[in-house]
Each structure stands twice: as structure tokens, then as C-alpha cells.
């Protein structure tokens, strides 16, 4: 009887195009809190107060305190072995690979991932709500500087992330669904698979005959559809998966 991770490695060996979808769970072992797991952020804060256009209009300072706090956590964090394993997978599959992340923390890029799209934006991107000025600003603000003003027109800057109820970046979405249509395997890691349209991607792969591998310590709506479920932390099981994929002898 082969172990689930050996089954997953065997499935990857037979994969022509790999789509990887990641969520907050892949950054958990870097010390970044998730949203809905047992000690998730949405258990302590109401997303409607912090991550909607209405919240930004109503209380820009509070919204910026939240994003500034998360920026501080992320700047202290480092990519973990789960992020690093995905860089090896990208090198293994070459142009038959796309990493689609829902995360805004930039840890995939810091690990070295390149063939990737950010469906929900990036926490260090900033956009002026008045003149459209944009910049990438990988730093936190001193409390007294919140909310930050546009250096061009003085208008309110907002974080370049997708708030609840907003449309996702068109090009990222187009690339993600094009990859999902091409993929014969989707490796879904660290997502509760409840937020759309990101959560539609694994179903897109499944619907045209592709197979799912899920990496999540907890069950999700995708678990019953997965060919292989790895109920372990990503930082622990993804390096093993990559080693098995590279080893000639599948029993290694
Ligand atoms: N390894 C793998 N998975 C993990 C780990 C880990 N070490 N730790 C937790 N998880 C799993 C949890 O079991 C949970 O299923 O990661 C998942 C995280 O789910 P969410 O917190 O809902 O995060 P995500 O799915 O990325 O949320 C999607 O919702 O709040 C919005 O825009 C936000 O991008 C986010 C979107």
C-alpha cells in the first residue's frame, strides 16, 4: 500500500500541466495568521469592518491600522519550506506550470516563485483612491502617518488588495482560468476553498477530467473530490513530495 504522499508523487509524475492554488495556510508556518482556521483572524475581527470598500470609506485609519499591522508581521516573516518546495515544482514543470495564490503577503515571490499570479493583489501595493497613482511600498507606516496620503495629489491611498465585493485583477484571473483549463492536475494547498472565484479553479480542473491533490490538515469542500488528500502542514509534506517526485525509485 503506497502512502498518500507517494500516491501524490506518482500522480505528479504523470502530470503534463500543473496548476497550484495556495491560500493562507501555506504561510501559517511562516507565522502569518490564517483567516478561518481554528485560530483564524476572522474569528477575532469582522472582515466587514476591515476588508471592504465601505470600511475604507467609513474608517480609513482603522483599515490602515489593520493592513499596517499585517505588513509588520509579514516583513518579520520568512518563506517556509512549503513555499520553497513550490519553487522546486516550478523548476521541475517549467512552462507547464502556474502558481495561483490568494495570498497578498508576497512570500511566494520572496521564496523565488516566478510563474505565478496574485488573485487578491499584494499588501505592499498602494493605489490612490483619487488620482490612481500606484506604488509598491514594502514597509510599514508609523501610526501617526495613517492613513497615508498620495504623494501626487494628497488623496487617500488604499492597499492594493482585493476587498470583499470587489472584482479581481482581470489579467491574473484570465491567466488562472486559462491554466485551469489546461491543467491535468491541481495541487490545492492551505485554502478553505470557500472564497470565489479562486475556489472555482479546482472545480474547473476536475470538470474537464483533471485530478486534485489537496494539502490541508483540515477537511474542506474539496476533500471529497481529491484523488489524494495530504492532511499535514504544507511546510512538512511539500518538501517530502518534491523529494519523492525527484527520486527515481518511488519507494524511496
Ligand atoms: N498547511 C496547510 N494548510 C493549512 C496550514 C498549514 N500549515 N495551517 C492551516 N491550514 C489550512 C486551514 O485548515 C484552512 O483550511 O489553511 C486554510 C486557510 O483557510 P483561510 O484562512 O480561509 O484562508 P484562504 O482560504 O486563503 O482564504 C481565502 O478569503 O479572507 C479572504 O481574501 C482573503 O485570500 C483570502 C480568502
Amino acid at each position: 500500500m503506497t502512502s498518500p504522499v507517494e500516491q501524490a508523487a506518482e500522480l505528479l509524475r504523470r502530470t503534463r500541466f500543473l496548476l497550484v492554488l495556495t491560500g493562507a495556510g501555506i504561510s501559517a508556518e511562516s507565522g502569518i495568521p490564517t483567516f478561518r482556521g481554528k485560530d483564524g483572524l476572522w474569528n477575532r475581527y469582522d472582515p466587514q469592518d476591515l476588508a471592504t470598500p465601505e470600511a475604507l470609506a467609513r474608517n480609513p485609519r482603522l483599515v490602515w491600522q489593520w493592513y499596517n499591522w499585517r505588513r509588520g508581521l509579514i516583513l518579520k516573516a520568512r518563506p517556509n519550506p512549503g513555499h520553497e518546495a513550490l519553487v522546486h515544482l516550478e523548476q521541475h514543470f517549467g512552462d507547464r506550470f502556474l502558481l495561483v495564490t490568494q495570498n497578498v503577503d508576497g512570500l511566494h515571490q520572496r521564496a523565488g516563485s516566478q510563474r505565478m499570479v496574485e488573485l487578491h493583489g499584494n499588501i505592499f501595493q498602494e493605489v490612490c483612491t483619487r488620482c490612481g497613482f500606484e506604488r509598491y511600498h514594502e514597509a510599514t507606516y508609523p501610526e501617526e502617518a495613517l492613513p497615508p496620503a498620495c504623494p501626487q495629489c494628497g488623496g487617500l491611498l488604499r492597499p492594493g488588495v482585493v476587498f470583499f465585493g470587489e472584482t479581481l485583477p482581470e489579467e491574473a484571473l484570465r491567466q488562472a482560468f486559462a491554466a485551469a483549463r489546461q491543467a491535468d492536475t491541481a495541487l490545492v494547498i492551505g485554502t478553505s476553498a470557500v472564497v470565489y472565484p479562486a475556489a472555482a479553479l479546482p472545480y474547473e480542473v476536475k470538470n474537464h477530467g483533471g485530478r486534485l491533490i489537496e494539502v490541508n490538515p483540515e477537511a474542506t469542500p474539496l476533500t471529497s473530490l481529491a484523488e489524494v488528500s495530504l492532511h499535514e502542514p504544507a511546510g512538512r509534506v511539500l518538501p517530502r513530495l518534491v523529494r519523492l517526485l525527484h527520486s527515481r525509485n518511488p519507494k524511496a
Side-chain angles (χ1 to χ4, degrees):
M1 177 59 183
T2 53
S3 70
V5 68
E6 283 168 338
Q7 289 167 38
E10 182 45 39
L11 208 156
L12 289 181
R13 279 192 204 97
R14 288 186 278 119
T15 292
R16 282 187 323 281
F17 190 108
L18 178 64
L19 171 83
V20 179
L21 174 67
T22 61
I26 196 163
S27 296
E29 290 156 273
S30 295
I32 311 291
T34 61
F35 297 101
R36 297 176 186 80
K38 38 188 172 305
D39 50 4
L41 289 166
W42 296 148
N43 302 338
R44 283 181 281 152
Y45 303 98
D46 178 351
Q48 295 306 320
D49 294 339
L50 300 169
T52 62
E54 295 74 22
L56 182 74
R58 186 175 56 244
N59 193 341
R61 181 169 164 72
L62 174 70
V63 170
W64 263 105
Q65 283 171 331
W66 158 249
Y67 282 94
N68 204 45
W69 169 70
R70 287 173 64 202
R71 283 187 174 193
L73 285 182
I74 291 163
L75 290 172
K76 287 195 211 72
R78 284 185 314 108
N80 66 61
H83 295 104
E84 289 154 2
L86 294 184
V87 179
H88 291 297
L89 279 186
E90 177 177 331
Q91 288 158 352
H92 179 90
F93 283 96
D95 59 1
R96 299 173 297 116
F97 176 96
L98 184 68
L99 166 60
V100 179
T101 190
Q102 301 169 86
N103 300 341
V104 298
D105 58 30
L107 288 178
H108 284 303
Q109 294 93 319
R110 281 170 56 191
S113 289
Q114 294 177 340
R115 288 184 183 281
M116 65 171 287
V117 293
E118 292 175 310
L119 282 188
H120 294 165
N122 186 295
I123 199 166
F124 297 109
Q125 192 65 21
E126 297 173 354
V127 184
C128 177
T129 55
R130 185 190 296 168
C131 72
F133 166 83
E134 283 203 46
R135 74 175 169 199
Y136 183 78
H137 182 60
E138 199 163 299
T140 55
Y141 286 95
E143 270 290 306
E144 58 276 13
L146 297 177
C150 171
Q152 202 158 267
C153 77
L156 171 68
L157 285 180
R158 62 164 283 175
V161 300
V162 177
F163 286 146
F164 286 100
E166 292 188 320
T167 51
L168 276 61
E170 205 176 308
E171 179 54 18
L173 210 50
R174 188 194 63 71
Q175 285 186 43
F177 277 89
R181 282 191 290 277
Q182 231 187 320
D184 48 337
T185 302
L187 174 59
V188 186
I189 306 165
T191 183
S192 55
V194 293
V195 174
Y196 284 76
L201 290 164
Y203 295 95
E204 181 76 25
V205 175
K206 187 85 185 163
N207 289 345
H208 67 65
R211 295 156 305 225
L212 304 186
I213 302 171
E214 184 179 39
V215 176
N216 195 321
E218 294 171 26
T220 74
L222 291 174
T223 307
S224 58
L225 301 174
E227 179 114 355
V228 186
S229 283
L230 304 176
H231 289 296
E232 290 189 62
R236 196 177 333 141
V237 72
L238 288 176
R240 286 207 335 262
L241 177 57
V242 170
R243 272 197 301 280
L244 279 169
L245 176 63
H246 286 159
S247 69
R248 284 284 135 254
N249 167 7
K251 291 280 174 248

